Amino acid sequence: MYKLDLPVDKKEFEAIEARRQRELQRQSRIFNAKVRTIGVDLQAIQEQERTRRMQEEMERRRHEAFAEDMIRNDKIAELLERRQQADIRRLNKALNEYRNMHQQPNTRKEFDLYDPDYLKKDKPARVSDDDPRCTLSSLQKFEGEDLNSPARKKLQQEQLREWAKQQAEEKRKAEERKKQADRLYDLKQMELDQRALQLQKAEEECRKAIKHAEANYNKALADEAARQRELDQRREEDDKLTEIANNVHGHFLTENPNMATSAFGPHRVIPDRWKGMTPEQMEEIRKQQRLQEEERKRREDEQKREEEEWARQAEAAARAGMILEREQNRKMRGQNRNFAEDNLKLALEQKAHQEFLDKQVYINPPTAAYFQQWNTITR
């Protein structure tokens, strides 16, 4: 009659499941005492704020340190770049000088390929009869021809003579250049030696002058020290004689008692001039000592009488205390007997009450299912 197998609404099922999951998450947060927080944790917020400020300060210092490092690195890189550019310019200059001196275009192996005077320097198609370029296909030399043999031989002889003259001239010039260089080197060495001798001589004269000046200065100091010692010795002897005369004729050795009297009153003396007390003062001190001795004996007798009186009072108090202690002990024993009887009665009553509770009141103890129904939801 009733259709019970109706399809479940998917949206409603998802909503119920989402609420169930949120409830489970809420239970895990609320029932866990370690992570549960009631109200606002002010101390934690302050600690977070302090930590955030410390992190910001550290980050600011870190950025400043990085900025300083970057500036320093930029300066170093700029300095290194300047040095590198200077080194490159110096190397390029040295390279260009070397090329200008030792790598001229006419010294290159392939200079004949792009020589502007190539056509002027080029040989004719046929130089002589033995020209190796005159092959069969050149059509420059034919069998039996020798047209320029005398001119060729004369030219060769002149060329040999010219080469010999050039070599002799080059050798002579090289020897002259070597002699000139040796002569200049010798003159330079002689000039350096003469300058060294002059400097050495000047240094010796300066050293002698310094030594002479030091000797004169030391002699003057020695004379001044000797005069000062003589003056000090004379002054010391005069002081000693004056001191002896003052001690002999002074009041210290004569022991004048009037010299010890102070200007602040007759009852005060000057310690460094005092020679001792007078007989009247000694008698007055002995009198005071006798009075003090009598006073000390009187105080000792009085203290002895007080101690005897205190001993009698302490003995009487001890007797009274013993009597009171015996009376307290007797009362305490009576109280302990009463307490024991009362405790016995209370124990019997408590035992009877516990039996009544166990047998008549607590007849239905709660099971574990009773306690499991609590703290199941967070609402």
Side-chain angles (χ1 to χ4, degrees), residues 19-80:
R19 287 196 298 272
R20 185 180 294 111
Q21 293 296 328
R22 288 196 297 271
E23 181 65 21
L24 292 175
Q25 293 176 1
R26 182 180 173 85
Q27 290 178 4
S28 64
R29 291 194 304 271
I30 293 177
F31 293 154
N32 191 356
K34 293 183 179 180
V35 299
R36 182 176 63 239
T37 301
I38 300 176
V40 179
D41 192 355
L42 184 59
Q43 185 177 2
I45 294 174
Q46 293 176 354
E47 182 66 21
Q48 292 177 359
E49 181 68 18
R50 187 178 66 83
T51 304
R52 184 181 62 79
R53 290 178 181 177
M54 290 177 62
Q55 291 178 355
E56 291 178 355
E57 182 66 19
M58 292 176 63
E59 190 69 20
R60 185 182 64 79
R61 293 180 180 178
R62 181 168 174 269
H63 285 309
E64 291 178 356
F66 280 144
E68 292 178 358
D69 290 340
M70 290 175 64
I71 294 172
R72 184 170 61 255
N73 293 332
D74 291 340
K75 293 181 179 179
I76 293 172
E78 184 178 0
L79 180 60
L80 292 176

Side-chain angles (χ1 to χ4, degrees), residues 58-252:
M58 292 176 63
E59 190 69 20
R60 185 182 64 79
R61 293 180 180 178
R62 181 168 174 269
H63 285 309
E64 291 178 356
F66 280 144
E68 292 178 358
D69 290 340
M70 290 175 64
I71 294 172
R72 184 170 61 255
N73 293 332
D74 291 340
K75 293 181 179 179
I76 293 172
E78 184 178 0
L79 180 60
L80 292 176
E81 186 177 358
R82 291 178 181 176
R83 290 181 179 177
Q84 185 178 6
Q85 291 177 358
D87 294 339
I88 292 173
R89 287 194 298 270
R90 187 171 61 255
L91 291 174
N92 291 331
K93 183 178 179 181
L95 181 61
N96 292 329
E97 291 178 354
Y98 179 81
R99 287 175 177 174
N100 292 329
M101 292 177 61
H102 303 287
Q103 292 184 351
Q104 293 295 330
N106 55 4
T107 61
R108 296 178 183 177
K109 181 174 61 177
E110 63 278 3
F111 178 71
D112 57 342
L113 299 178
Y114 51 87
D115 188 3
D117 298 333
Y118 175 74
L119 296 177
K120 297 178 181 179
K121 299 178 182 179
D122 191 14
K123 295 179 181 181
R126 178 181 178 182
V127 177
S128 63
D129 295 338
D130 296 331
D131 193 349
R133 297 176 300 168
C134 297
T135 59
L136 295 176
S137 60
S138 64
L139 298 177
Q140 296 293 328
K141 180 182 178 182
F142 298 95
E143 190 66 27
E145 290 185 352
D146 189 8
L147 301 178
N148 56 350
S149 177
R152 174 171 52 79
K153 290 180 180 181
K154 185 177 180 180
L155 181 62
Q156 287 177 355
Q157 290 176 0
E158 291 178 357
Q159 189 176 8
L160 288 174
R161 282 194 300 270
E162 187 66 23
W163 286 352
K165 289 180 181 181
Q166 290 179 359
Q167 289 178 359
E169 185 67 20
E170 290 178 359
K171 185 177 181 181
R172 185 182 62 79
K173 290 181 180 180
E175 289 178 355
E176 289 180 357
R177 286 196 299 270
K178 184 178 180 182
K179 290 180 180 179
Q180 184 69 16
D182 293 339
R183 188 174 63 81
L184 292 176
Y185 178 77
D186 294 337
L187 292 175
K188 186 65 176 178
Q189 290 295 325
M190 291 174 64
E191 183 182 358
L192 293 176
D193 294 340
Q194 187 176 3
R195 186 177 297 176
L197 290 174
Q198 292 176 358
L199 292 175
Q200 185 177 3
K201 185 177 179 180
E203 185 178 359
E204 290 292 337
E205 292 178 355
C206 183
R207 189 179 296 110
K208 289 179 180 180
I210 291 172
K211 288 183 178 179
H212 184 68
E214 288 179 353
N216 294 332
Y217 180 72
N218 293 331
K219 184 178 179 181
L221 289 178
D223 296 339
E224 182 67 22
R227 288 194 298 270
Q228 187 65 31
R229 285 195 300 269
E230 186 177 356
L231 291 174
D232 293 340
Q233 187 175 2
R234 290 179 182 177
R235 191 182 296 110
E236 185 177 359
E237 291 178 356
D238 294 339
D239 294 340
K240 288 181 180 179
L241 293 174
T242 304
E243 184 179 1
I244 291 171
N246 292 333
N247 290 329
V248 170
H249 301 288
H251 297 286
F252 182 77

Side-chain angles (χ1 to χ4, degrees), residues 259-272:
M259 297 302 298
T261 304
S262 176
F264 296 100
H267 62 283
R268 301 182 65 177
V269 295
I270 301 174
D272 59 343

